[in-house]
Amino acid sequence: MSEFEKIKLLGVDDNMTNKIHSKMKLYDVYIKLSSYAADKWGEFFIKSWKTEMDSDYKRVRVSGKHVIIENCTLEQAKKFKSKLKQAE
């Protein structure tokens, strides 16, 4: 990833995170980034996410200054965030 600016995960953006399914307790969890992610950075991140995460849960996207983990429980989001922090 040396061709990209170093972007850090800053934490969950509580103002953007939203519940999408009340009965199943599913959320779109927004994780703040230290700077705006270029399209190529986002593509690289998504490809890495899909190959590195040891879970069947693969729904993630990058938009502006956020990584968005889609349709997940808060417990899943905490697990993913912890694993992403270890990879920094």
Side-chain angles (χ1 to χ4, degrees):
M1 192 169 115
S2 60
E3 64 197 69
F4 297 115
E5 173 188 348
K6 176 115 174 137
I7 297 177
K8 294 185 181 245
L9 300 169
L10 301 178
V12 173
D13 186 339
D14 294 326
N15 293 323
M16 296 288 293
T17 296
N18 58 75
K19 195 174 203 176
I20 59 169
H21 194 290
S22 60
K23 291 184 181 181
M24 296 179 69
K25 297 181 183 176
L26 295 176
Y27 296 79
D28 281 349
V29 178
Y30 284 68
I31 299 175
K32 291 184 266 188
L33 300 174
S34 59
S35 64
Y36 284 93
D39 290 342
K40 291 286 185 188
W41 187 93
E43 291 169 14
F44 179 85
F45 181 89
I46 291 167
K47 182 178 178 184
S48 296
W49 171 274
K50 288 180 178 180
T51 58
E52 297 296 324
M53 296 307 279
D54 59 352
S55 169
D56 292 333
Y57 191 82
K58 306 290 187 199
R59 297 181 71 159
V60 67
R61 62 188 164 95
V62 178
S63 179
K65 289 183 79 173
H66 291 93
V67 168
I68 302 117
I69 305 170
E70 299 177 330
N71 302 321
C72 70
T73 65
L74 294 179
E75 291 76 26
Q76 287 173 313
K78 288 176 188 173
K79 174 185 163 192
F80 297 141
K81 184 180 171 229
S82 173
K83 187 161 187 165
L84 290 170
K85 280 287 196 188
Q86 292 172 2
E88 283 188 321

